[in-house]
Amino acid sequence: MIKVYALSTCPYCKRTKKFLDEHKIPYDCTDVDMLDDDEQDKVLEEIERISGKRAFPVVVIGPEVIVGHDEDRLRRALKL
Amino acid sequence: MTDGQERVYCPVCQAKFRFIDGWREGDTVMCPICGQRLTLRSEGGAWTGDRVDAMTEKEIRDRAENFAKLRGYRFTDIKEEVIEGLVGKQKRFGDFYCPCRMLHTPEYQCPCKPTRGGDVERNGRCHCGFFWGSDYRSWIAPCGQLSTHVPQPVHFDSSNAGAKVRLSMCMAPVGHVLTTGQKGLLSQTILSNMTCIVIEEPMAHRLDMVLHE
């Protein structure tokens, strides 16, 4: 399952989610800003561990981690 | 106050600006730091400003427009999407905080403190890409790339050819017309002054063509 970490208000995150929706790609999304404090800290640490920074959106497709809205990389990772 | 001037406190940027002779209580003025419209109020011998149209979409639109005019900035091509994000922040977190940050403290009210402190001059854009320097033009390449993180500039010269970096945002000379090959890549005539080019990996194979133009 593709994992997306996003902020509920971030326009770039919305574009990434819209892109996946339009291509009917199922994914599990966590809006990190909507989590309670304890959960948020855990998820932020996880994001930093896998991407090396705290920037959004983060899309995890198997071993590939895509930071930022990047349709070209999404297409290649998803073989679209 | 060391210069003997009266000052007005702005509750948005939490700084004081100079009181102009002739201003009176109830007047509407603009904070010259963040662009917020304020109604002057005297409180305990000190001037403060009350936010006009507080917590409305009109407030953040006016503030952003005023700030861009004050600084000579231009907006992103996805301005309306950023404003939607700012309005979402206000509804969910109580004020117009940067939509691309997790921080909901006064210094991250738009325009955030790093932006008021010169991020656009340093990086060509603010953190969320809402404000851009007047010498720069952003666009979304045809492939739809749009990076959220602040890129590190690579200087526009041939020595960068072959560099393993990525291209998503570029800056090039005023009136620069793209070649046929470049049009496929970027599709727009470049409008801004040449300062630097930011290159990202997926376009590395096109790098020679771009840099040797």
Side-chain angles (χ1 to χ4, degrees), chain B residues 92 102 199:
Chain B
R92 278 166 227 166
M102 295 275 304
I199 302 155

Side-chain angles (χ1 to χ4, degrees), chain B residues 45-104:
Chain B
W47 289 102
T48 190
D50 292 327
R51 289 164 56 173
V52 174
D53 299 317
M55 303 297 177
T56 64
E57 184 173 329
K58 183 176 186 314
E59 180 190 33
I60 189 59
R61 282 185 182 277
D62 286 349
R63 188 194 304 165
E65 291 288 344
N66 291 339
F67 181 72
K69 278 182 195 156
L70 283 166
R71 297 290 184 101
Y73 297 160
R74 63 176 79 198
F75 287 102
T76 172
D77 295 339
I78 59 164
K79 177 183 176 186
E80 289 305 313
E81 291 171 61
V82 178
I83 287 182
E84 189 184 320
L86 283 161
V87 171
K89 279 284 188 191
Q90 192 278 325
K91 285 180 180 160
R92 278 166 227 166
F93 300 101
D95 220 328
F96 298 108
Y97 303 112
C98 175
C100 298
R101 294 183 198 263
M102 295 275 304
L103 302 157
H104 305 129

